[in-house]
CSV table of all heavy atoms in Angstrom, one decimal:
chain,number,residue,atom,x,y,z
A,1,ASN,N,-67.6,127.3,-68.5
A,1,ASN,CA,-66.4,126.7,-69.1
A,1,ASN,C,-66.6,126.5,-70.6
A,1,ASN,O,-67.7,126.3,-71.1
A,1,ASN,CB,-66.1,125.4,-68.5
A,1,ASN,CG,-65.6,125.5,-67.1
A,1,ASN,OD1,-65.2,126.6,-66.7
A,1,ASN,ND2,-65.7,124.5,-66.3
A,2,THR,N,-65.5,126.7,-71.4
A,2,THR,CA,-65.7,126.7,-72.8
A,2,THR,C,-65.0,125.6,-73.6
A,2,THR,O,-64.9,125.6,-74.8
A,2,THR,CB,-65.0,128.0,-73.4
A,2,THR,OG1,-63.6,128.1,-72.9
A,2,THR,CG2,-65.7,129.3,-72.8
A,3,GLY,N,-64.6,124.5,-72.8
A,3,GLY,CA,-64.0,123.4,-73.4
A,3,GLY,C,-65.0,122.4,-73.8
A,3,GLY,O,-66.1,122.7,-74.3
A,4,LEU,N,-64.8,121.1,-73.5
A,4,LEU,CA,-65.8,120.0,-73.8
A,4,LEU,C,-67.1,120.3,-73.1
A,4,LEU,O,-67.1,120.6,-71.9
A,4,LEU,CB,-65.2,118.7,-73.4
A,4,LEU,CG,-66.0,117.5,-73.7
A,4,LEU,CD1,-66.1,117.2,-75.2
A,4,LEU,CD2,-65.5,116.2,-72.9
A,5,HIS,N,-68.2,120.1,-73.8
A,5,HIS,CA,-69.5,120.1,-73.2
A,5,HIS,C,-69.8,118.6,-72.9
A,5,HIS,O,-70.0,117.8,-73.8
A,5,HIS,CB,-70.5,120.7,-74.1
A,5,HIS,CG,-70.3,122.2,-74.4
A,5,HIS,ND1,-71.0,123.1,-73.6
A,5,HIS,CD2,-69.5,122.8,-75.2
A,5,HIS,CE1,-70.6,124.3,-74.0
A,5,HIS,NE2,-69.7,124.2,-75.0
A,6,PHE,N,-69.9,118.3,-71.6
A,6,PHE,CA,-70.0,116.9,-71.2
A,6,PHE,C,-71.4,116.7,-70.6
A,6,PHE,O,-71.7,117.3,-69.6
A,6,PHE,CB,-68.9,116.6,-70.2
A,6,PHE,CG,-68.9,115.2,-69.7
A,6,PHE,CD1,-69.1,114.1,-70.5
A,6,PHE,CD2,-68.8,114.9,-68.3
A,6,PHE,CE1,-69.1,112.8,-70.0
A,6,PHE,CE2,-68.8,113.6,-67.8
A,6,PHE,CZ,-69.0,112.6,-68.6
A,7,GLN,N,-72.2,115.8,-71.1
A,7,GLN,CA,-73.5,115.5,-70.7
A,7,GLN,C,-73.5,114.1,-70.0
A,7,GLN,O,-73.1,113.1,-70.7
A,7,GLN,CB,-74.6,115.5,-71.7
A,7,GLN,CG,-74.9,116.9,-72.3
A,7,GLN,CD,-73.7,117.5,-73.1
A,7,GLN,OE1,-73.2,118.6,-72.9
A,7,GLN,NE2,-73.3,116.7,-74.1
A,8,VAL,N,-74.0,114.0,-68.8
A,8,VAL,CA,-74.1,112.7,-68.2
A,8,VAL,C,-75.6,112.3,-68.0
A,8,VAL,O,-76.4,113.1,-67.4
A,8,VAL,CB,-73.5,112.7,-66.8
A,8,VAL,CG1,-73.5,111.3,-66.2
A,8,VAL,CG2,-72.1,113.2,-66.9
A,9,ALA,N,-76.0,111.2,-68.6
A,9,ALA,CA,-77.4,110.7,-68.5
A,9,ALA,C,-77.6,109.9,-67.3
A,9,ALA,O,-77.1,108.8,-67.2
A,9,ALA,CB,-77.8,109.9,-69.7
A,10,LEU,N,-78.4,110.5,-66.3
A,10,LEU,CA,-78.6,109.8,-65.0
A,10,LEU,C,-80.1,109.7,-64.8
A,10,LEU,O,-80.8,110.6,-65.0
A,10,LEU,CB,-78.0,110.6,-63.8
A,10,LEU,CG,-76.5,110.7,-63.8
A,10,LEU,CD1,-76.1,111.7,-62.7
A,10,LEU,CD2,-75.8,109.4,-63.6
A,11,ASN,N,-80.5,108.5,-64.4
A,11,ASN,CA,-82.0,108.1,-64.3
A,11,ASN,C,-82.6,108.7,-65.6
A,11,ASN,O,-83.6,109.3,-65.6
A,11,ASN,CB,-82.6,108.7,-63.1
A,11,ASN,CG,-84.0,108.1,-62.9
A,11,ASN,OD1,-84.3,107.0,-63.2
A,11,ASN,ND2,-84.9,108.9,-62.4
A,12,TYR,N,-82.0,108.3,-66.7
A,12,TYR,CA,-82.4,108.8,-68.0
A,12,TYR,C,-83.1,107.6,-68.8
A,12,TYR,O,-82.5,106.5,-68.9
A,12,TYR,CB,-81.3,109.4,-68.8
A,12,TYR,CG,-81.7,109.8,-70.2
A,12,TYR,CD1,-82.2,111.1,-70.5
A,12,TYR,CD2,-81.6,108.9,-71.3
A,12,TYR,CE1,-82.6,111.4,-71.8
A,12,TYR,CE2,-82.0,109.2,-72.6
A,12,TYR,CZ,-82.5,110.5,-72.8
A,12,TYR,OH,-82.9,110.9,-74.1
A,13,GLY,N,-84.2,107.9,-69.4
A,13,GLY,CA,-84.8,107.0,-70.4
A,13,GLY,C,-85.5,107.9,-71.4
A,13,GLY,O,-86.2,108.9,-71.1
A,14,SER,N,-85.3,107.7,-72.7
A,14,SER,CA,-85.8,108.6,-73.7
A,14,SER,C,-87.3,108.7,-73.7
A,14,SER,O,-87.9,109.7,-73.9
A,14,SER,CB,-85.3,108.1,-75.1
A,14,SER,OG,-85.6,109.0,-76.1
A,15,ARG,N,-88.0,107.6,-73.5
A,15,ARG,CA,-89.4,107.6,-73.4
A,15,ARG,C,-89.9,108.5,-72.3
A,15,ARG,O,-90.8,109.3,-72.4
A,15,ARG,CB,-90.0,106.2,-73.3
A,15,ARG,CG,-89.8,105.4,-74.6
A,15,ARG,CD,-90.4,104.0,-74.5
A,15,ARG,NE,-90.3,103.3,-75.8
A,15,ARG,CZ,-90.8,102.0,-75.9
A,15,ARG,NH1,-91.4,101.4,-74.9
A,15,ARG,NH2,-90.7,101.4,-77.1
A,16,ASP,N,-89.3,108.3,-71.2
A,16,ASP,CA,-89.6,109.1,-70.0
A,16,ASP,C,-89.3,110.6,-70.3
A,16,ASP,O,-90.1,111.5,-70.0
A,16,ASP,CB,-88.7,108.7,-68.8
A,16,ASP,CG,-88.9,109.6,-67.6
A,16,ASP,OD1,-90.0,109.6,-66.9
A,16,ASP,OD2,-88.0,110.4,-67.3
A,17,GLU,N,-88.2,110.9,-71.0
A,17,GLU,CA,-87.9,112.3,-71.3
A,17,GLU,C,-88.9,112.9,-72.2
A,17,GLU,O,-89.4,114.0,-72.1
A,17,GLU,CB,-86.5,112.3,-72.0
A,17,GLU,CG,-86.1,113.7,-72.6
A,17,GLU,CD,-84.9,113.6,-73.5
A,17,GLU,OE1,-84.8,112.6,-74.2
A,17,GLU,OE2,-84.1,114.6,-73.6
A,18,MET,N,-89.4,112.1,-73.2
A,18,MET,CA,-90.4,112.6,-74.2
A,18,MET,C,-91.7,112.8,-73.5
A,18,MET,O,-92.4,113.8,-73.9
A,18,MET,CB,-90.5,111.7,-75.4
A,18,MET,CG,-89.2,111.8,-76.3
A,18,MET,SD,-89.4,110.9,-77.9
A,18,MET,CE,-89.1,109.2,-77.4
A,19,ILE,N,-92.1,111.9,-72.6
A,19,ILE,CA,-93.4,112.1,-71.9
A,19,ILE,C,-93.3,113.4,-71.0
A,19,ILE,O,-94.2,114.2,-71.0
A,19,ILE,CB,-93.7,110.9,-71.0
A,19,ILE,CG1,-94.1,109.7,-71.9
A,19,ILE,CG2,-94.8,111.2,-70.0
A,19,ILE,CD1,-94.2,108.4,-71.2
A,20,ARG,N,-92.2,113.5,-70.3
A,20,ARG,CA,-92.0,114.8,-69.5
A,20,ARG,C,-92.1,116.0,-70.4
A,20,ARG,O,-92.7,117.0,-70.0
A,20,ARG,CB,-90.7,114.7,-68.7
A,20,ARG,CG,-90.7,113.7,-67.6
A,20,ARG,CD,-89.5,113.8,-66.7
A,20,ARG,NE,-88.3,113.2,-67.3
A,20,ARG,CZ,-87.3,113.9,-67.8
A,20,ARG,NH1,-87.3,115.2,-67.7
A,20,ARG,NH2,-86.2,113.3,-68.3
A,21,ALA,N,-91.5,115.9,-71.5
A,21,ALA,CA,-91.5,117.1,-72.5
A,21,ALA,C,-92.9,117.4,-73.0
A,21,ALA,O,-93.3,118.5,-73.0
A,21,ALA,CB,-90.6,116.8,-73.7
A,22,MET,N,-93.7,116.3,-73.3
A,22,MET,CA,-95.1,116.5,-73.7
A,22,MET,C,-95.9,117.1,-72.7
A,22,MET,O,-96.8,118.0,-72.9
A,22,MET,CB,-95.6,115.1,-74.2
A,22,MET,CG,-95.0,114.6,-75.5
A,22,MET,SD,-95.8,113.0,-76.0
A,22,MET,CE,-97.4,113.5,-76.4
A,23,ARG,N,-95.7,116.7,-71.4
A,23,ARG,CA,-96.5,117.2,-70.3
A,23,ARG,C,-96.2,118.7,-70.1
A,23,ARG,O,-97.1,119.5,-69.9
A,23,ARG,CB,-96.2,116.5,-69.0
A,23,ARG,CG,-96.8,115.1,-69.0
A,23,ARG,CD,-96.3,114.3,-67.7
A,23,ARG,NE,-96.9,113.0,-67.6
A,23,ARG,CZ,-96.5,112.0,-66.9
A,23,ARG,NH1,-95.4,112.2,-66.1
A,23,ARG,NH2,-97.1,110.9,-66.8
A,24,ALA,N,-94.9,119.1,-70.2
A,24,ALA,CA,-94.5,120.5,-70.1
A,24,ALA,C,-95.1,121.3,-71.2
A,24,ALA,O,-95.6,122.4,-71.0
A,24,ALA,CB,-93.0,120.6,-70.0
A,25,MET,N,-95.0,120.8,-72.4
A,25,MET,CA,-95.5,121.5,-73.6
A,25,MET,C,-97.0,121.6,-73.5
A,25,MET,O,-97.6,122.7,-73.8
A,25,MET,CB,-95.0,120.9,-74.9
A,25,MET,CG,-95.4,121.7,-76.1
A,25,MET,SD,-94.6,121.0,-77.6
A,25,MET,CE,-95.4,119.5,-77.8
A,26,GLY,N,-97.7,120.5,-73.1
A,26,GLY,CA,-99.1,120.6,-73.0
A,26,GLY,C,-99.6,121.6,-72.0
A,26,GLY,O,-100.6,122.3,-72.2
A,27,LYS,N,-98.9,121.7,-70.9
A,27,LYS,CA,-99.2,122.7,-69.9
A,27,LYS,C,-99.1,124.1,-70.4
A,27,LYS,O,-99.9,125.0,-70.2
A,27,LYS,CB,-98.3,122.6,-68.6
A,27,LYS,CG,-98.6,123.5,-67.5
A,27,LYS,CD,-97.7,123.1,-66.3
A,27,LYS,CE,-98.0,123.9,-65.1
A,27,LYS,NZ,-97.6,125.3,-65.3
């Protein structure tokens, strides 16, 4: 779809997101 890009944050926490990102990048 090409209209609004709608993001819903569910079970979201920025610190959790960054830790998960660091683990993936570290791997």
Side-chain angles (χ1 to χ4, degrees):
N1 290 342
T2 58
L4 181 72
H5 293 267
F6 179 47
Q7 292 71 234
V8 184
L10 295 175
N11 193 31
Y12 176 88
S14 188
R15 290 181 175 181
D16 174 73
E17 176 192 31
M18 288 191 281
I19 288 171
R20 288 187 285 108
M22 289 180 68
R23 287 172 177 164
M25 187 169 67
K27 184 172 182 291

